[in-house]
Amino acid sequence: MITELEMGKGESELELGLGLSLGGGTPAKIGGGGAWGERGRLLTAKDFPSVGSKRAADSASHAGASPPRSSSQVVGWPPIGSHRMNSLVNNQATKSAREEEDAGKKKVNDDQPKDATKKVNGKVQVGFIKVNMDGVAIGRKVDLNAHSSYENLAQTLEDMFFRTNPGTIGLTGQFTKPLRLLDGSSEFVLTYEDKEGDWMLVGDVPWRMFTTSVKRLRVMKTSEANGLAARHQDPNERQRNQPM
Amino acid sequence: MALRLPSKVLEHILSFIDSNEDRNSVSLVCKSWFETERKTRKRVFVGNCYAVSPAAVARRFPEMRSLTLKGKPHFADYNLVPDGWGGYACPWVDALAAKSPSLEEIRLKRMVVTDECLEKIAASFKDFKVLVLTSCEGFSTDGIAAIASTCRNLRVLELRECIVEDLGGDWLSYFPKTSTSLVSLDFSCLDSEVKISDLERLVSRSPNLKSLKLNPAVTLDGLVSILSRAPQLTELGTGSFAAELKPEAFSKLSKAFSNCKQLQSLSGLWDVLPEYLPALYSVCPGLISLNLSYATVRMPDLVELLRRCSKLQKLWVMDLIEDKGLEAVATYCKELRELRVFPSEPDLDATNIPVTEQGLVYVSKGCRKLESVLYFCVQFTNAALITIARKRPNLKCFRLCVIEPFAPDYKTNEPLDKGFKAIAEGCKDLRRLSVSGLLSDKAFKYIGKHAKKVRMLSIAFAGDSDLMLHHLLSGCESLKKLEIRDCPFGDTALLENAAKLETMRSLWMSSCFVSFGACKLLSQKMPRLNVEVIDEHPPKTRPESSPVERIYIYRTVAGPRMDTPEFVWTLHKNPEIGVSRLAIK
């Protein structure tokens, strides 16, 4: 009988971590670098065949600003048979073409500031934005309106991605030290994409201003975050900085 | 002294027993019952083509007239099984051609069927009547032509969602030139055009035709022409509905449909323009089954159609129906037994959320006979699940796919444990369950404890630890098929519950934490299981602790299979493997 199963820590004698692999996994890396023991699985492009032409179009528009792995690029998810999937992709293609035509007309009229809201059946779903982390394919969502400050938000994200709390699943496993996403001292930084498509470091603008301009978040490796706009600049002077 | 039932009497009694499960039970009573049963069984079902050898089946059931076979595991539908894995129909057809020449019906699901195989079927079974291929691949329209031309008594030819090498529409002209005995023809998965004149002539000389499912290449004009020649149809799959609306065309279509007074089932409807839907109104009151899952029609038009379908029992539709449309379904379709709502966008990041949990709640409240649900949506709540369980304790099949992995109850931010607990506890006859969303240990404890009749369970992106797998394997008494992907389940629960695996048809685990060492150990300890490690990119060395990409375990009396491709590891192929160092507590 199983008396004590260690929860969420994996079997230490088998050296398994709690990273989640998606798609086929990459056993080629196992023998060598200990990717299995690391916090996250190292996923390669093979794990993410594009699903839907819309996703491919989005990726193309972010040329140079490596977009976070989106959860729509997981093999066999959502679980729809291939006949149906093909049919959806075809519909998507015709729809995108039509939308691009309409979008061209819309841009001229659209200069109202929006905050991070989406419409759901006419009701407004306030505040939920996507968060992705480097090395983790499945993104999460966080409700900005449920947070009052950057510290608050950082704590939630830490819990979500790095710790196993009751009711929350740590996606990447256990850590011994706190993450400190905001002070630049750890391996990861928190970044966000704003309305104009620029990627910025989180924390430099007042919270309220941030919530109105943020489109989505990304927990990025510090090494990749060089060159991000680190200070709030006058919009007229702001340069387009792309993460490397 | 016990009296023995004379075998003739037993035979007569058994002639009333059709279900395979019952016949399987009968065959276990004693040797003479086994003998009598096996000599009288006509319809044979083999759920896993590798569980038993074709020769053994042919030998055991000499009077077999109908064989149903399933090949690849279910997750093959979602591209999780690499090409070339197996599931070949040929060895079966070869064995049956030799031993069961009176075979009349073959139904295959998820198998690889070649043209040679189809030609062999056509040549070997003189009275062949029924061929149904579901999600099969490996053949071309030439093979179909062989069946059409040679099987003079063919009644049913159905290609459901197959991947066929389409060499053109000629195959249709190969049916016998005099009258045919066709009752059902389904070529909806073929791409290329068939000559309408061929189709018209075929339909005209098939007086028994009741079910016809056309492919998207058949135009509206073609449909009208066919319907006028086959007003007796009970099941119809239309071709493509996309055509510029011309008033004359519309009225012809309308009239053609209104002449089909026996139509009970309608599908196809690819690219249907909403302006054409009123042409269907005349058949709605009689419809029992309606498949709108390829129709990108908006809610108001759907409601106009559905409110006329008071007898509807089965509805497949896209999420474009919205909550409001499902509310209408709950109001007007009181006979509904089965509902499937499919996503209209393949993207997981869809910002437009057409259906919510409320839609399913409406239908659960309004449709008392609802027993089978497949529902795709972006997020859900525990409260909704609890309501659904309370209102519909008669649910037999509940498959919820919350598209966003790990999505919690979006109102309370809790896992969906309580909700699935309610489903498992409340729906006592639940036979099939698919779970999704954020789920912790507790959910699986409840499922293990309460879902005593669940036979098939599908899990993705869930769980905290092995304990969950242990709950399922030790708790779910009726479990026959378990398929898991992307869950942190590892070796311990699997090895602890190894004996359970012999009571199940199969277990699939992919992107989990099962180690290679555990697979080896399981193979060694359980000779009546086939343990297959499926790694598309097998590493050069396999340390014991390295996780496997996919593991497929199934019970078998046929021994190890001989047709594994390179990327499938089995112990049989690698007998030099020594004893594992794993310690099992």
Side-chain angles (χ1 to χ4, degrees):
Chain A
M1 278 281 109
I2 296 182
T3 48
E4 269 173 359
L5 273 180
E6 298 201 308
M7 307 237 303
K9 291 178 195 157
E11 323 273 87
S12 51
E13 66 264 24
L14 297 176
E15 291 171 311
L16 298 175
L18 200 67
L20 278 174
S21 72
L22 293 140
T26 53
K29 299 211 191 265
I30 301 304
W36 195 231
E38 283 179 356
R39 291 179 290 267
R41 287 292 290 266
L42 295 175
L43 298 150
T44 68
K46 274 179 272 202
D47 294 321
F48 300 100
S50 299
V51 173
S53 53
K54 184 176 179 225
R55 186 53 45 192
D58 280 353
S59 303
S61 71
H62 277 98
S66 47
R69 294 283 179 214
S70 73
S71 44
S72 65
Q73 290 171 329
V74 175
V75 176
W77 192 262
I80 311 173
S82 47
H83 272 259
R84 198 171 291 284
M85 189 65 97
N86 291 340
S87 172
L88 289 184
V89 168
N90 289 337
N91 289 347
Q92 202 73 330
T94 34
K95 201 175 142 197
S96 295
R98 232 181 295 135
E99 273 175 358
E100 271 165 20
E101 283 177 45
D102 296 342
K105 301 169 198 160
K106 243 186 150 184
K107 251 186 186 150
V108 184
N109 308 321
D110 196 55
D111 48 27
Q112 299 150 326
K114 286 187 213 123
D115 50 2
T117 60
K118 295 168 197 159
K119 287 209 180 282
V120 181
N121 281 353
K123 296 170 245 171
V124 170
Q125 187 194 14
V126 177
F128 276 96
I129 56 167
K130 280 226 77 149
V131 190
N132 287 87
M133 173 167 153
D134 283 357
V136 179
I138 294 292
R140 306 294 296 271
K141 275 201 182 135
V142 65
D143 181 2
L144 279 189
N145 285 15
H147 295 85
S148 51
S149 67
Y150 285 119
E151 286 69 33
N152 219 205
L153 177 65
Q155 188 60 51
T156 301
L157 294 179
E158 265 183 65
D159 290 342
M160 211 180 252
F161 284 101
F162 297 104
R163 304 248 169 75
T164 321
N165 284 343
T168 316
I169 292 183
L171 282 173
T172 53
Q174 292 273 332
F175 275 89
T176 48
K177 50 182 180 170
L179 208 59
R180 298 198 211 287
L181 285 169
L182 296 175
D183 66 8
S185 68
S186 80
E187 202 186 319
F188 291 93
V189 289
L190 187 57
T191 64
Y192 72 102
E193 185 186 13
D194 70 2
K195 293 291 160 202
E196 274 129 37
D198 296 328
W199 284 91
M200 325 266 281
L201 277 181
V202 163
D204 292 316
V205 305
W207 172 256
R208 280 263 135 244
M209 201 182 293
F210 168 72
T211 60
T212 57
S213 62
V214 63
K215 237 170 70 176
R216 53 182 165 164
L217 291 166
R218 178 174 164 197
V219 179
M220 197 188 281
K221 286 218 165 80
T222 311
S223 49
E224 285 192 27
N226 297 327
L228 283 186
R231 292 272 172 269
H232 175 65
Q233 292 158 320
D234 186 346
N236 293 332
E237 290 174 357
R238 187 192 298 169
Q239 291 171 338
R240 281 185 180 274
N241 280 324
Q242 311 272 343
M244 298 204 298
Chain B
M1 188 167 79
L3 289 171
R4 223 142 128 253
L5 213 52
S7 59
K8 281 290 168 204
V9 175
L10 185 57
E11 263 181 50
H12 183 70
I13 297 173
L14 291 184
S15 67
F16 294 102
I17 300 182
D18 273 331
S19 109
N20 271 286
E21 275 188 45
D22 290 341
R23 277 189 164 262
N24 288 345
S25 305
V26 164
S27 65
L28 291 174
V29 168
C30 64
K31 280 199 179 132
S32 70
W33 280 43
F34 177 88
E35 282 298 304
T36 308
E37 193 284 312
R38 77 173 187 87
K39 285 177 185 160
T40 56
R41 193 184 303 204
K42 295 212 164 54
R43 318 187 68 84
V44 176
F45 171 81
V46 177
N48 174 4
C49 65
Y50 289 118
V52 63
S53 78
V57 173
R59 209 168 38 233
R60 179 173 168 187
F61 301 111
E63 293 300 308
M64 174 170 50
R65 293 287 177 272
S66 154
L67 175 65
T68 302
L69 268 181
K70 293 190 182 180
K72 300 184 203 172
H74 172 237
F75 272 178
D77 285 353
Y78 315 130
N79 295 326
L80 290 178
V81 178
D83 280 339
W85 171 84
Y88 303 105
C90 245
W92 285 87
V93 171
D94 286 343
L96 295 167
K99 304 248 174 58
S100 312
S102 309
L103 194 66
E104 297 175 359
E105 307 181 3
I106 294 179
R107 292 174 172 82
L108 305 176
K109 189 166 185 179
R110 291 191 206 101
M111 294 195 72
V112 177
V113 184
T114 57
D115 283 345
E116 290 72 38
C117 190
L118 290 172
E119 283 158 20
K120 185 126 200 202
I121 291 175
S124 314
F125 306 113
K126 295 298 160 215
D127 205 17
F128 197 67
K129 295 195 170 78
V130 172
L131 182 65
V132 177
L133 302 177
T134 306
S135 302
C136 294
E137 50 167 354
F139 59 102
S140 78
T141 42
D142 282 352
I144 301 302
I147 297 279
S149 69
T150 318
C151 304
R152 300 266 121 189
N153 293 322
L154 193 67
R155 291 201 191 144
V156 173
L157 176 58
E158 291 177 10
L159 308 174
R160 303 179 187 171
E161 311 234 319
C162 294
I163 300 177
V164 184
E165 194 193 339
D166 198 329
L167 303 170
D170 280 346
W171 61 272
L172 199 64
S173 62
Y174 280 77
F175 281 100
K177 300 285 182 250
T178 54
S179 76
T180 79
S181 32
L182 272 181
V183 174
S184 167
L185 177 64
D186 178 352
F187 60 98
S188 52
C189 64
L190 296 182
D191 284 326
S192 64
E193 239 181 82
V194 296
K195 270 209 228 118
I196 277 299
S197 51
D198 281 346
L199 193 53
E200 287 167 351
R201 278 196 292 267
L202 177 65
V203 169
S204 299
R205 65 183 195 273
S206 303
N208 298 330
L209 194 65
K210 289 284 185 206
S211 170
L212 179 62
K213 296 191 179 161
L214 309 169
N215 70 351
V218 176
T219 61
L220 277 181
D221 283 340
L223 178 62
V224 169
S225 164
I226 299 302
L227 285 182
S228 64
R229 285 171 169 75
Q232 79 280 10
L233 286 178
T234 57
E235 284 188 6
L236 172 69
T238 71
S240 170
F241 253 62
E244 221 182 276
L245 182 66
K246 295 171 205 149
E248 214 186 85
F250 176 83
S251 69
K252 271 197 201 154
L253 189 66
S254 221
K255 183 139 191 291
F257 270 110
S258 62
N259 280 334
C260 295
K261 305 219 184 287
Q262 300 178 45
L263 206 57
Q264 291 182 323
S265 164
L266 188 58
S267 59
L269 300 168
W270 287 282
D271 309 318
V272 63
L273 298 175
E275 298 80 50
Y276 276 114
L277 287 180
L280 304 175
Y281 288 174
S282 59
V283 299
C284 287
L287 279 185
I288 290 181
S289 164
L290 180 55
N291 183 351
L292 291 163
S293 63
Y294 289 100
T296 49
V297 176
R298 300 273 150 196
M299 183 268 296
D301 301 304
L302 286 173
V303 169
E304 249 330 281
L305 189 69
L306 289 169
R307 69 177 185 81
R308 294 170 153 86
C309 301
S310 55
K311 287 211 191 123
L312 203 61
Q313 295 182 15
K314 175 169 141 179
L315 173 64
W316 290 19
V317 74
M318 283 213 212
D319 58 10
L320 302 168
I321 192 171
E322 295 178 34
D323 291 344
K324 197 144 178 249
L326 289 173
E327 194 181 5
V329 170
T331 310
Y332 297 110
C333 307
K334 291 298 191 192
E335 296 296 312
L336 200 68
R337 273 119 166 106
E338 177 178 330
L339 173 70
R340 294 198 188 186
V341 177
F342 294 96
S344 52
E345 291 199 19
D347 283 353
L348 304 183
D349 293 338
T351 52
N352 175 29
I353 310 170
V355 290
T356 73
E357 76 283 3
Q358 190 52 46
L360 187 54
V361 169
Y362 285 139
V363 179
S364 304
K365 283 183 177 169
C367 301
R368 297 236 172 98
K369 299 186 184 175
L370 187 71
E371 53 182 36
S372 173
V373 170
L374 170 61
Y375 200 76
F376 283 83
C377 61
V378 176
Q379 52 201 12
F380 226 79
T381 63
N382 281 312
L385 283 169
I386 291 169
T387 305
I388 291 166
R390 198 178 67 233
K391 290 288 175 183
R392 292 279 62 79
N394 51 322
L395 280 175
K396 293 211 170 74
C397 167
F398 186 73
R399 297 161 71 190
L400 176 66
C401 181
V402 178
I403 300 181
E404 165 121 6
F406 311 117
D409 176 327
Y410 72 93
K411 288 194 177 147
T412 65
N413 242 15
E414 292 172 344
L416 291 178
D417 298 343
K418 284 191 213 146
F420 279 107
K421 174 184 188 228
I423 295 283
E425 247 185 322
C427 305
K428 301 212 184 306
D429 288 328
L430 200 63
R431 287 167 68 101
R432 184 166 178 186
L433 177 63
S434 298
V435 299
S436 53
L438 185 64
L439 294 164
S440 82
D441 257 3
K442 293 211 194 95
F444 295 85
K445 193 169 97 184
Y446 301 139
I447 293 173
K449 190 169 172 207
H450 296 287
K452 291 307 182 190
K453 293 212 179 145
V454 163
R455 298 165 54 101
M456 181 168 177
L457 186 52
S458 310
I459 307 173
F461 303 113
D464 293 326
S465 75
D466 253 30
L467 199 54
M468 299 169 59
L469 181 58
H470 175 69
H471 286 315
L472 294 175
L473 290 177
S474 57
C476 296
E477 284 163 12
S478 309
L479 196 59
K480 290 277 171 277
K481 287 194 282 186
L482 178 57
E483 46 186 24
I484 300 172
R485 63 163 295 176
D486 292 279
C487 297
F489 300 156
D491 299 338
T492 313
L494 193 60
L495 294 168
E496 278 277 339
N497 293 282
K500 170 79 173 178
L501 299 176
E502 275 189 9
T503 69
M504 292 166 55
R505 184 187 297 171
S506 66
L507 167 64
W508 169 279
M509 291 174 71
S510 56
S511 304
C512 297
F513 292 164
V514 179
S515 74
F516 183 58
C519 296
K520 283 191 312 193
L521 189 63
L522 199 60
S523 306
Q524 286 161 336
K525 297 281 183 206
M526 312 288 298
R528 284 185 300 204
L529 296 179
N530 274 358
V531 177
E532 295 188 9
V533 174
I534 304 167
D535 276 337
E536 243 178 320
H537 312 285
K540 292 199 192 82
T541 57
R542 279 193 198 260
E544 299 283 290
S545 60
S546 69
V548 300
E549 281 179 35
R550 307 168 185 81
I551 177 171
Y552 184 47
I553 304 170
Y554 52 91
R555 66 180 172 186
T556 179
V557 292
R561 63 171 172 123
M562 300 303 176
D563 59 0
T564 49
E566 255 190 43
F567 57 80
V568 171
W569 178 98
T570 63
L571 191 67
H572 170 79
K573 278 153 88 169
N574 303 274
E576 75 283 358
I577 303 295
V579 177
S580 161
R581 289 189 319 267
L582 280 179
I584 308 299
K585 295 185 184 63

